[in-house]
């Protein structure tokens, strides 16, 4: 009897997995490009990534990261560490490439911080350390926002040339096999760098016309930088905007001042794009989906991942996420990563990924566990 019960439970589990695989295929809006993984042939990861972002069928999700991922173990193994890897294109490409060659991820993201545009537009930077990311230390337009101008030579300023050269190097190396995603700070984050969080919040509340002008100019900079990254070799850009989280500004201000400019940003990016907004974004998910990006990236703090994925797929938008970075990946076991990954996969995630930036101390074994979980689930 015990053997019969165990056999029944195993068959039931296999049936649930088969159902979830069919559910993943059915969620996508078109079926003309389903990928066959047969005869042990290697998948075309770049084509799969493109298909995911264009709403076409794939046989299983990719595993990767679209958020920052400067992991200490990877630095030690590949021989390229921060802060040099933040400012040297060859070292930046080497560390980014290790996300695939060492961590086995199928989507890799660079650079490893989100202050590049802010620095290029005049913010002073604490360059950080091996374990600490660069940080903004000054806000040059805090009391003179009207003087903000996006210079015609923006792409030659600060570390932007470093990032563009790293994109070219990656394109000729790991980028031949795997998709590479360039991270760009969003207009809310950039405005908070240039003006300071408190002054910007005052503008939002008391002088929204000034806040709107600042955000508008920041979007101009985001468009220029994003397209330069795509032209240099990136397969997509991710617009990362922590400031635009409902936890920071609330959904009403987001809809009034940020959303229209995100729409303009998406319309003017000459390639695939992803929108990442930190925090509990449930209240603005419908707005994020209306901005025109090919995918959204969400944290583990959202209340119902499955519902969000259903909403996104109804609008032909892919979803990346949402394994906890502050808890599961950072401090828990590979088995915990597996369990959380399975929950994401059951919900129909398109790119299994960390929900936010990966902590430098994150164990490499937990990144490996993400890939193993996907392979086991769809095995």
């Amino acid at each position: 009897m015990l053997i019969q019960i165990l056999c029944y439970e195993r068959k039931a589990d296999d049936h649930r997995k088969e159902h979830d695989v069919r559910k993943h295929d059915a969620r996508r809006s078109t079926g003309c490009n389903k990928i066959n993984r047969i005869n042990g042939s290697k998948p075309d990861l770049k084509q799969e990534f493109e298909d995911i972002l264009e709403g076409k069928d794939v046989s299983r999700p990719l595993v990767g990261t679209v958020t920052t991922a400067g992991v200490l173990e990877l630095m030690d193994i590949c021989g390229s560490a921060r802060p040099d890897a933040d400012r040297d294109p060859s070292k930046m490409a080497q560390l980014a490439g290790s996300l695939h060659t060492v961590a086995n991820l199928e989507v890799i993201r660079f650079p490893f911080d989100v202050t590049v545009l802010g620095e290029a537009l005049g913010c002073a930077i604490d360059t950080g350390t091996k374990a600490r990311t660069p940080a903004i230390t000054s806000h040059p337009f805090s009391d003179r926002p009207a003087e903000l101008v996006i210079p015609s030579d923006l792409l030659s300023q600060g570390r932007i040339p470093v990032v563009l050269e790293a994109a070219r190097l990656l394109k000729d190396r790991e980028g031949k096999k795997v998709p590479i995603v360039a991270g760009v700070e969003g207009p809310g984050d950039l405005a908070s760098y240039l003006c300071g969080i408190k002054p910007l919040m005052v503008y939002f509340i008391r002088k929204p016309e000034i806040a709107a002008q600042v955000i508008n100019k920041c979007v101009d900079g985001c468009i220029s930088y994003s397209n330069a990254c795509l032209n240099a070799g990136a397969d997509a850009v991710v617009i990362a905007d922590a400031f635009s989280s409902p936890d920071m500004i609330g959904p009403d201000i987001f809809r009034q001042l940020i959303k229209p400019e995100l729409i303009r940003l998406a319309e003017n990016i000459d390639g695939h794009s992803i929108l990442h907004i930190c925090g509990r974004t449930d209240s603005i998910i419908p707005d994020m989906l209306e901005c025109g990006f090919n995918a959204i990236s969400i944290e583990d703090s959202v209340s119902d991942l499955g519902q969000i994925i259903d909403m996104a797929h109804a609008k032909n938008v892919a979803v990346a996420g949402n394994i906890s970075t502050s808890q599961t990946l950072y401090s828990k076991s590979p088995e915990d990563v597996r369990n959380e990954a399975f929950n994401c996969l059951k919900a129909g995630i398109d790119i299994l990924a960390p929900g936010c930036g990966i902590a430098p101390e994150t164990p490499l074994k937990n990144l490996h566990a993400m890939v193993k979980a996907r392979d086991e689930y769809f095995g």
Side-chain angles (χ1 to χ4, degrees):
M1 179 65 70
L2 177 60
I3 293 175
Q4 288 179 328
I5 292 173
L6 290 174
C7 288
Y8 173 79
E9 289 181 345
R10 182 175 298 173
K11 289 179 180 178
D13 185 60
D14 290 343
H15 175 75
R16 284 192 295 269
K17 288 185 177 180
E18 182 181 354
H19 175 265
D20 288 335
V21 171
R22 290 199 303 268
K23 181 173 69 172
H24 180 267
D25 287 340
R27 286 179 184 271
R28 310 308 287 151
S29 62
T30 61
C32 62
N33 216 10
K34 188 172 181 178
I35 295 172
N36 294 315
R37 296 172 181 261
I38 58 175
N39 300 325
S41 59
K42 292 184 178 181
D44 185 340
L45 298 176
K46 292 174 73 71
Q47 185 62 55
E48 290 190 25
F49 181 69
E50 180 178 325
D51 287 347
I52 286 171
L53 295 187
E54 293 183 358
K56 299 175 182 177
D57 279 351
V58 296
S59 62
R60 61 183 189 172
L62 293 180
V63 183
T65 181
V66 299
T67 51
T68 53
V71 177
L72 296 180
E73 281 191 70
L74 292 179
M75 297 180 198
D76 294 336
I77 293 171
C78 78
S80 178
R82 313 174 78 168
D84 291 342
D86 291 321
R87 297 186 171 273
D88 181 292
S90 179
K91 293 181 179 180
M92 181 181 291
Q94 186 173 347
L95 181 55
S98 72
L99 288 166
H100 174 65
T101 59
V102 180
N104 301 330
L105 300 184
E106 299 164 335
V107 181
I108 59 178
R109 196 263 202 202
F110 78 108
F112 315 106
D113 69 284
V114 283
T115 62
V116 174
L117 265 178
E119 182 179 9
L121 288 170
C123 295
I125 295 287
D126 175 348
T127 57
T129 64
K130 181 178 180 180
R132 181 168 54 80
T133 62
I136 299 292
T137 60
S138 73
H139 312 289
F141 299 97
S142 59
D143 57 355
R144 49 189 184 96
E147 296 181 21
L148 172 61
V149 175
I150 305 301
S152 58
D153 63 347
L154 172 66
L155 300 181
S156 66
Q157 299 299 313
R159 287 183 291 146
I160 290 180
V162 171
V163 175
L164 299 182
E165 179 59 22
R168 297 184 189 99
L169 293 173
L170 280 167
K171 180 182 179 182
D172 292 334
R173 299 175 187 175
E174 288 76 17
K176 291 182 177 181
K177 299 178 180 179
V178 297
I180 55 177
V181 177
V184 177
E185 58 256 54
D189 275 2
L190 183 55
S192 72
Y193 298 163
L194 297 170
C195 296
I197 291 177
K198 289 183 179 180
L200 184 61
M201 291 296 291
V202 170
Y203 296 143
F204 273 135
I205 296 169
R206 298 180 181 177
K207 298 180 179 180
E209 69 283 357
I210 293 179
Q213 292 171 5
V214 172
I215 297 295
N216 179 271
K217 292 176 182 179
C218 287
V219 166
D220 289 341
C222 292
I223 291 170
S224 179
Y225 180 36
S226 295
N227 287 332
C229 289
L230 291 167
N231 290 334
D235 295 287
V237 293
V238 56
I239 304 300
D241 206 326
F243 183 83
S244 293
S245 170
D247 299 336
M248 286 291 294
I249 62 173
D252 291 337
I253 291 179
F254 176 84
R255 295 185 185 109
Q256 179 185 357
L257 294 173
I258 301 293
K259 179 181 176 181
E261 289 298 326
L262 286 176
I263 292 173
R264 183 168 74 90
L265 174 54
E267 288 175 344
N268 286 279
I269 292 176
D270 298 328
H272 293 114
S273 60
I274 303 166
L275 176 63
H276 175 85
I277 295 179
C278 299
R280 188 180 292 273
T281 52
D282 302 79
S283 61
I284 61 168
I285 289 293
D287 302 287
M288 292 173 64
L289 296 175
E290 291 172 355
C291 286
F293 294 86
N294 300 105
I296 61 171
S297 166
I298 54 177
E299 286 197 30
D300 60 291
S301 57
V302 297
S303 59
D304 191 333
L305 176 62
Q307 182 181 47
I308 290 171
I309 291 173
D310 286 341
M311 293 169 60
H313 288 174
K315 291 185 174 293
N316 206 30
V317 177
V319 181
N322 70 336
I323 298 177
S324 168
T325 53
S326 61
Q327 297 291 326
T328 309
L329 286 172
Y330 176 66
S331 61
K332 293 187 179 181
S333 69
E335 182 66 18
D336 293 317
V337 175
R338 173 189 177 275
N339 293 337
E340 195 163 321
F342 268 39
N343 290 334
C344 295
L345 295 166
K346 287 178 182 178
I349 201 74
D350 299 295
I351 300 175
L352 181 63
C356 200
I358 303 173
E361 298 83 3
T362 297
L364 178 58
K365 63 184 179 181
N366 281 353
L367 300 184
H368 287 157
M370 293 170 55
V371 181
K372 291 177 180 177
R374 188 278 314 275
D375 291 346
E376 178 186 350
Y377 190 88
F378 286 90

